[in-house]
Amino acid sequence: MDRVPGFPLDAIRLAFQMRGIVKRLQSITSNLARSLVTGECRSFYLEDSFGLPPKASREQIDAFINFWANYILIGRELKKTIMEDSVCPDVKVSTHTPLVFVHHDLAPRNIILDPNGRFYPRLFEYASMHNFHSSAWDRFAIWRWKLFTFVAGGLFHKEARWLEIARWQFTRSQYARRFNVKAKDYASVASRPDTE
């Protein structure tokens, strides 16, 4: 795309305008995580090899994030019993609020709404805004963007950090959750690879 010349935006005013837009989006709630068009439960933060079933519940999202936040080694997962696989001993993230309508990619490069709307936890909006940032930015630019995301999307720093950890874990060990998925009995619903 070509550079469009113009004046710098008033970042604080824009952040509060964005906050109003985000609040309006998040006023629409759902009991199920999904894309409005396909019903699939797909997100940058939920894409290991097994994923989640279409129209997943908030509890299933929490179980996914907490599995990966607590994951250490595949050997440890292989030693777990079915009962151990079906529960999460250490809850790091719990999305107590309803699932809300999220844009899922708010950044200066992409302020146009995607017609394929999605329902996910509120913290996904904040976390996805933190995915946008350039290595060319100086400290002041990074600080301004962090302030912008806080004003526009709320403050979910701790939860976003656990999402980063979970994503890092499932990126390097895609199949570690296979027995956990089987124990929770939704692998077949998710139409994912065989977990036998």
Side-chain angles (χ1 to χ4, degrees):
M1 294 174 64
D2 294 330
R3 180 181 166 83
V4 178
F7 298 102
L9 291 169
D10 178 348
I12 297 297
R13 193 173 72 200
L14 180 62
F16 278 102
Q17 286 175 339
M18 185 66 68
R19 181 181 188 166
I21 293 167
V22 168
K23 278 187 153 188
R24 283 186 66 191
L25 287 173
Q26 293 181 352
S27 69
I28 304 167
T29 62
S30 173
N31 293 326
L32 303 171
R34 69 192 194 281
S35 161
L36 283 177
V37 175
T38 65
E40 291 181 10
C41 184
R42 295 186 60 215
S43 165
F44 177 77
Y45 300 108
L46 303 173
E47 292 183 0
D48 70 359
S49 292
F50 302 103
L52 288 168
K55 300 179 181 174
S57 69
R58 191 181 72 233
E59 290 78 16
Q60 288 172 321
I61 291 176
D62 286 354
F64 177 96
I65 296 168
N66 285 296
F67 172 85
W68 286 112
N70 287 292
Y71 174 76
I72 297 172
L73 293 169
I74 189 72
R76 187 175 283 182
E77 294 305 316
L78 292 171
K79 292 177 185 173
K80 283 184 178 178
T81 65
I82 290 176
M83 180 58 87
E84 289 171 324
D85 259 320
S86 66
V87 297
C88 180
D90 187 10
V91 176
K92 311 267 191 206
V93 175
S94 181
T95 53
H96 295 296
T97 57
L99 302 173
V100 295
F101 192 67
V102 299
H103 180 285
H104 225 167
D105 194 16
L106 285 176
R109 67 176 188 272
N110 187 16
I111 302 297
I112 298 171
L113 283 175
D114 178 350
N116 302 331
R118 304 170 182 96
F119 290 92
Y120 292 100
R122 289 179 197 278
L123 69 104
F124 278 38
E125 198 78 89
Y126 173 88
S128 63
M129 288 176 80
H130 279 269
N131 286 334
F132 175 81
H133 116 19
S134 171
S135 58
W137 287 4
D138 62 17
R139 275 187 168 163
F140 183 65
I142 292 169
W143 180 85
R144 280 189 326 183
W145 181 244
K146 285 184 178 182
L147 178 62
F148 184 90
T149 59
F150 161 65
V151 172
L155 185 60
F156 296 97
H157 180 71
K158 183 181 85 170
E159 295 89 344
R161 178 72 184 125
W162 284 117
L163 284 180
E164 287 174 19
I165 290 168
R167 175 141 179 93
W168 181 76
Q169 294 277 41
F170 71 68
T171 301
R172 70 185 186 107
S173 189
Q174 288 276 315
Y175 290 96
R177 203 168 60 99
R178 66 185 292 201
F179 297 110
N180 178 261
V181 169
K182 187 175 180 183
K184 290 182 180 298
D185 198 29
Y186 61 75
S188 58
V189 180
S191 303
R192 300 301 185 207
D194 181 26
T195 57
E196 291 300 324

